[in-house]
Amino acid sequence: MHDDRSLVEARLRRVLDERVRPAVYPESVPLDVAVWHAPGEPVPVDEGLAAEPEPIAVGARWGAPWGTSWFRVTGTVPPEWAGRTVEALLDLGFDENMPGFQCEGLVYRPDGTPVKGLNPRNQWVRVGTPVEGGEQVRLHIEAASNPVILDYHPFRPTWLGDKDTAGHEPQYTLARMDLAVFDETVWQLVIDLEVLGELMAELPADAQRRHEILRAVERALDAVDLQDVNGTAARARSCLTEVLAAPAVPSAHRISAVGHAHIDSAWLWPLRETVRKVARTTANMTALIEDEPDFVFAMSQAQQWAWVKEHRPEVWARVKKAVAEGRFVPAGGMWVESDTNMPGSEAMARQFVHGKRFFLDEFGIENDEAWLPDTFGFAAGLPQIIRAAGSTRLLTQKISWSQTNRFPHHTFQWEGIDGTRIFTHFPPVDTYNCSMKGSELAHAARNFKDKGRARHSLAPTGWGDGGGGTTREMVARSARVRNLEGSPAVVWETPEQFFAKAEAEYPDPPVWVGELYLELHRATLTSQAKTKQGNRRSEHLLREAELWAATAAVRTGFRYPYEELDRIWKTVLLHQFHDILPGSSIAWVHREARATYQRLATELDQIVEAAQRALAGEGDRPLLFNAAPHSRGGVPAGGAAPQQTSGEVTVSDRPGGGHVLANGLLRIEIDARGLVVSAYDLDADRETIAPGAAANLLQLHPDFPNMWDAWDVDAFYRNAVTDLTQTDELAADEQGVRIVRSFGSSRVTQVLSLQPGERRLLIDTEVDWHETEKFLKLAFPLDVHAERYASETQFGHFHRPTHTNTSWEAAKFEACNHRFVHLAEPGWGVAVVNDSTYGHDVTRSVRTDGDQGTTTTVRASLLRAPRFPDPETDQGIHRFRHALVPGAAIADAVREGWRINLAERRVTGANDVAPLVTVDNDAVVITAVKLADDGSGDVVVRFHEAHGGRARATLTAGFEVQHVMATDLLERPLQDAPQTVGNSIPLRLRPFELVTLRLRRA
């Protein structure tokens, strides 16, 4: 038989495009349309409905960037359509390739009841089925003219990312606004042909099944009268019944489809627009649930649920009903789908505390999975946080984006720094926007790396990023592949149902130890420095506010600010979303974030100051309040007392130019270029800086990645570098050594200083940054031979290699740390600590002359200047503080990292303040002291082992304790409670073990 596959396949494509799809709506009449453009920001629904619109015609331009237009559409169903299904087709000027990335709408009835959302792949509103004829139709559309930021030629700089710079030109052309007859038989034929055509294309060319489908499709096409598609569609469908009824083979891959609409809480749109995106999507999904009995939809991010509750109570009522039916499923148990690399220990814990508590309070539902499909890599400290929150599972998809290495598993156990393991799944469909296409399903089955041991995978199904969710077409496709020969078998299930099946069939999956590093988007550790600084500062201010407010509440009856702290925490957690904290959102988002962080800092400072005044009392004794988890200057951790200092700092001229700082512990030589050429540890009689090298070296690289400008830095950036060694000014005084440099259009001012009795060189850097597509680094070449180094992560630290033996190691050329990076030889080490930077790199080389020793260079990433999506990223003044700590053990790195981030607060008063709780081993670090969230007055203490070894310690309460409970992160009791001896609690901790105790006051 002749091979005519290509002929039939080409015929199928054309007939579908030009005859069958157009016949879904065989008759239509135009609607009358009028519009009112809201002046400025969105208005309440009742105001939009009440506004008096003006007529507008199809083909007219509308919609200034970020504007809101209220369309009113009216019409009458023709009497001759009686008994038929009628829909309104409402096309605002959509490009079907951009669902979620352009204009959108939410449809209301005249009484303000929301009907459903409109987007490029969901333009219909059901009017009646069947209609009687003569019905009056009146609908209102709240249309958002969000501009297209990520266009067909992506990553081009645009001023559309902020309403202040976007202009006022209309963005869209109003397209079809009709009432139309919906022919469901033709629509079903479209789905039949699409599913079979896509399946056929994925089967081997010589497969019997492929040819059976080919012939069935050919018969169906023969049965269609192209001049009467509607009259012959049923006949054509009958030709496909047999091939659609053939069951899947027993060994077919099993896919759990989960309705999904990944909605970025901010990205190429501001936070306020996300509130509306969530409303549109949830309105659509609750409507689809009512229409499709098998469909299940899962939505993560408690913040987005809270927005629906607050802003769209009518939609919220529908959501609650669908949740009660088990069809609309809370997923993930986090406040937002946050970044997980940069949030600090306590912030990462609170993501789960606030997220899980919201779902428990609203629905009595507790999620067992973390749901993070789009997060840019996962810190090694995360597994025990997930477990401590009462969850045991993780889902993500993003690791499939890695550029260099293919991850070896799709289902596995992920082991964190303390040994905690989490059952983890990466959907092999390789998208969190699955649309049920045959190519996607076939890819999932082929790609699944655990064949032979497991058979189940998950497919998050629906338009996402900008929302939209699952469509009726996706549901119809899934119905056909539920049990279809040649295809994976698809069933709608909840995440819980999927994970239960996956764990049951794969009880002993492989184990991955350590971070899940994304080999992409590495520059998100640096972009938008002020957003990152605002996050870091907010985390530490919250620590201080909780610590001092709890101490004052117990000691003086001070009013503990439960509501204020709850609200502030949720705001900080929201801004840890994986496109805000990473710096990959539009200018509007980061402009608002900077203002928000400033406002929160003011409010938190007021809480701290009020609590400290209550504790100190009236008096003129100078007190230092120490919020760090280690004593300093004679002041205990978590207490206040007069500071004790000893020693002095000398500043002298250096022969040959420059200056020398010394304090009896360190001797720092700064040459005439303002570079540190010697950092001598006097106790160890050891030099820190590599021979012939210089630290405090600012280095400037070109930075133009191949794509994803704000997200990516590509390895070739290192091929060109400019060392900034020219000085405009070099001077010394009692504050230290001041260096001023100019380069390009920018200027740097640094102050290098020592403090009495302290083994650290402080480096305060101010950059007035006006570069474009450049990357600024601060380098420390160290005379240390180390094959690995430690960088802080949540509740501990994680080791990475300094070498590039394998492609996995080479791919980590930019990585994340929190407060410190530490590297060491046996008996001696060095730490580089920071107050607000995250990105860094560590490289090693062997000196070819002189001593043949190893130079290990640590570089902190300071600033970038990408132009997309914010064309003015990081322009302006920035301030950073770093410290070089020679002779540092890991304990010193931990201590100095905390200290540089928690500024000393000086208050005059009458009383020393004893700590509310103390621990007698510096390896046990207290990360939170607070009152219990339930208002009981119990004191909650969270701590962990921070040095990576076993620790024995005693926690002592500075108040009478009635009872001690070990709890999870949500402050719920666990079975094993520690013993107490009076107010003392003996502790034994594993390496990096995380513990939360709840102390009931007597």
Side-chain angles (χ1 to χ4, degrees), residues 758-990:
E758 296 180 7
R759 192 186 301 275
R760 61 175 184 168
L761 170 65
L762 283 173
I763 302 169
D764 289 288
T765 303
E766 179 182 286
V767 187
D768 190 3
W769 180 247
H770 297 284
E771 302 306 301
T772 298
E773 295 166 350
K774 296 289 193 294
F775 196 5
L776 184 65
K777 293 264 188 176
L778 179 63
F780 300 88
L782 306 173
D783 189 12
V784 176
H785 177 82
E787 293 185 359
R788 67 176 192 169
Y789 71 97
S791 60
E792 189 185 33
T793 188
Q794 293 98 0
F795 298 110
H797 56 266
F798 175 67
H799 287 99
R800 296 187 183 94
T802 60
H803 56 75
T804 55
N805 280 359
T806 71
S807 59
W808 294 87
E809 293 148 356
K812 296 183 180 182
F813 59 81
E814 185 79 4
C816 182
N817 69 282
H818 287 189
R819 287 167 289 228
F820 71 80
V821 168
H822 177 262
L823 50 104
E825 298 172 1
W828 193 87
V830 185
V832 176
V833 301
N834 73 84
D835 75 340
S836 60
T837 58
Y838 296 92
H840 71 277
D841 67 271
V842 177
T843 55
R844 68 200 302 267
S845 61
V846 174
R847 301 186 285 274
T848 57
D849 54 1
D851 66 354
Q852 307 292 308
T854 301
T855 298
T856 305
T857 301
V858 176
R859 298 198 305 166
S861 303
L862 302 186
L863 290 165
R864 300 183 66 238
R867 300 187 65 209
F868 182 88
D870 177 1
E872 291 194 317
T873 301
D874 281 332
Q875 301 299 296
I877 295 176
H878 303 268
R879 296 179 179 89
F880 307 96
R881 171 169 276 196
H882 292 80
L884 179 67
V885 190
I890 196 71
D892 302 303
V894 172
R895 182 187 65 251
E896 295 298 338
W898 277 101
R899 181 172 184 180
I900 202 171
N901 280 274
L902 284 164
E904 299 171 347
R905 291 183 183 261
R906 302 182 184 279
V907 179
T908 56
N911 312 310
D912 288 8
V913 179
L916 199 58
V917 293
T918 60
V919 65
D920 63 358
N921 184 343
D922 277 355
V924 179
V925 170
I926 296 174
T927 60
V929 178
K930 59 189 288 292
L931 294 192
D933 292 340
D934 62 6
S936 64
D938 293 353
V939 175
V940 172
V941 185
R942 188 149 33 247
F943 52 89
H944 70 287
E945 195 289 319
H947 297 172
R950 302 272 173 171
R952 301 182 69 169
T954 299
L955 183 84
T956 303
F959 55 91
E960 290 301 314
V961 176
Q962 178 184 353
H963 181 63
V964 178
M965 291 177 288
T967 74
D968 65 7
L969 294 180
L970 277 69
E971 300 168 10
R972 301 174 297 191
L974 301 173
Q975 289 183 347
D976 297 326
Q979 301 299 310
T980 61
V981 181
N983 291 346
S984 297
I985 305 163
L987 306 172
R988 287 191 176 190
L989 274 70
R990 303 185 312 273

Side-chain angles (χ1 to χ4, degrees), residues 487-556:
S487 170
V490 177
V491 61
W492 294 103
E493 291 187 306
T494 66
E496 164 64 30
Q497 289 169 325
F498 160 74
F499 273 110
K501 289 181 178 179
E503 287 180 324
E505 74 174 0
Y506 210 3
D508 189 24
V511 178
W512 182 270
V513 178
E515 68 181 333
L516 293 169
Y517 179 92
L518 177 64
E519 297 170 355
L520 193 73
H521 293 359
R522 303 168 182 88
T524 57
L525 304 173
T526 305
S527 297
Q528 298 288 358
K530 287 185 178 177
T531 299
K532 292 170 170 58
Q533 288 180 322
N535 174 74
R536 179 79 70 86
R537 182 66 175 139
S538 296
E539 290 180 355
H540 288 90
L541 282 170
L542 277 161
R543 172 195 174 85
E544 290 189 84
E546 289 182 336
L547 169 65
W548 300 125
T551 305
V554 173
R555 296 279 165 71
T556 73

Side-chain angles (χ1 to χ4, degrees), residues 229-553:
V229 173
N230 301 90
T232 57
R235 185 174 66 195
R237 289 199 72 202
S238 68
C239 299
L240 303 173
T241 301
E242 185 176 347
V243 289
L244 284 169
V249 298
S251 62
H253 185 67
R254 309 289 174 175
I255 292 179
S256 297
V258 179
H260 190 239
H262 175 65
I263 304 177
D264 287 312
S265 289
W267 180 27
L268 305 180
W269 44 85
L271 286 168
R272 68 90 156 143
E273 191 56 34
T274 312
V275 175
R276 302 201 296 176
K277 283 178 173 287
V278 173
R280 297 173 198 128
T281 297
T282 51
N284 268 356
M285 296 303 94
T286 51
L288 191 61
I289 283 170
E290 292 172 359
D291 293 340
E292 300 289 349
D294 293 332
F295 176 60
V296 176
F297 181 77
M299 189 168 89
S300 68
Q301 307 194 71
Q303 171 68 87
Q304 295 187 1
W305 292 70
W307 280 334
V308 178
K309 181 181 180 182
E310 178 183 358
H311 296 283
R312 290 292 190 272
E314 301 89 349
V315 178
W316 179 247
R318 289 160 54 178
V319 167
K320 288 186 69 174
K321 178 177 179 292
V323 171
E325 296 168 352
R327 308 276 306 284
F328 199 118
V329 181
M334 296 175 69
W335 189 247
V336 295
E337 290 183 9
S338 74
D339 180 80
T340 73
N341 286 313
M342 290 175 282
S345 303
E346 199 59 31
M348 200 74 254
R350 303 297 176 96
Q351 285 285 353
F352 289 91
V353 169
H354 287 283
K356 296 195 81 169
R357 188 170 288 146
F358 181 89
F359 294 138
L360 283 164
D361 290 347
E362 294 293 336
F363 308 114
I365 290 174
E366 180 163 9
N367 308 71
D368 200 30
E369 77 286 333
W371 183 277
L372 293 165
D374 191 29
T375 295
F376 308 153
F378 299 89
L382 188 58
Q384 71 165 331
I385 299 173
I386 295 173
R387 182 77 66 169
S391 297
T392 61
R393 299 155 170 170
L394 168 67
L395 179 134
T396 185
Q397 180 270 325
K398 199 68 171 186
I399 300 298
S400 70
W401 286 41
S402 285
Q403 289 180 318
T404 305
N405 299 285
R406 297 292 295 170
F407 198 80
H409 319 296
H410 280 108
T411 302
F412 61 100
Q413 292 278 5
W414 177 29
E415 181 177 318
I417 55 174
D418 74 318
T420 297
R421 291 181 176 181
I422 296 295
F423 189 86
T424 303
H425 180 68
F426 293 169
V429 71
D430 280 351
T431 178
Y432 48 79
N433 297 326
C434 176
S435 61
M436 285 288 131
K437 286 185 177 179
S439 56
E440 294 171 333
L441 302 180
H443 175 75
R446 285 194 299 263
N447 188 41
F448 188 55
K449 292 184 171 61
D450 302 287
K451 296 182 186 76
R453 297 181 181 274
R455 185 178 295 174
H456 284 81
S457 71
L458 186 146
T461 303
W463 299 116
D465 288 322
T470 319
T471 65
R472 63 183 178 183
E473 288 78 14
M474 297 175 193
V475 177
R477 287 167 170 270
S478 71
R480 286 156 174 79
V481 295
R482 183 181 183 93
N483 186 20
L484 182 63
E485 183 184 355
S487 170
V490 177
V491 61
W492 294 103
E493 291 187 306
T494 66
E496 164 64 30
Q497 289 169 325
F498 160 74
F499 273 110
K501 289 181 178 179
E503 287 180 324
E505 74 174 0
Y506 210 3
D508 189 24
V511 178
W512 182 270
V513 178
E515 68 181 333
L516 293 169
Y517 179 92
L518 177 64
E519 297 170 355
L520 193 73
H521 293 359
R522 303 168 182 88
T524 57
L525 304 173
T526 305
S527 297
Q528 298 288 358
K530 287 185 178 177
T531 299
K532 292 170 170 58
Q533 288 180 322
N535 174 74
R536 179 79 70 86
R537 182 66 175 139
S538 296
E539 290 180 355
H540 288 90
L541 282 170
L542 277 161
R543 172 195 174 85
E544 290 189 84
E546 289 182 336
L547 169 65
W548 300 125
T551 305

Side-chain angles (χ1 to χ4, degrees), residues 692-727:
N696 189 44
L697 174 64
L698 290 163
Q699 296 184 301
L700 193 66
H701 295 271
D703 184 19
F704 188 63
N706 288 344
M707 58 193 306
W708 297 109
D709 295 41
W711 295 256
D712 282 1
V713 56
D714 290 327
F716 55 72
Y717 88 93
R718 290 180 173 177
N719 296 351
V721 62
T722 300
D723 292 345
L724 304 180
T725 60
Q726 299 298 313
T727 60

Side-chain angles (χ1 to χ4, degrees), residues 539-587:
E539 290 180 355
H540 288 90
L541 282 170
L542 277 161
R543 172 195 174 85
E544 290 189 84
E546 289 182 336
L547 169 65
W548 300 125
T551 305
V554 173
R555 296 279 165 71
T556 73
F558 179 81
R559 184 189 73 84
Y560 190 80
Y562 291 102
E563 294 80 9
E564 295 93 326
L565 290 172
D566 180 79
R567 171 177 47 79
I568 293 170
W569 263 118
K570 287 174 179 174
T571 303
V572 172
L573 298 178
L574 166 60
H575 286 79
Q576 291 177 342
F577 179 75
H578 65 252
D579 277 307
I580 303 179
L581 179 54
S584 47
S585 287
I586 55 174

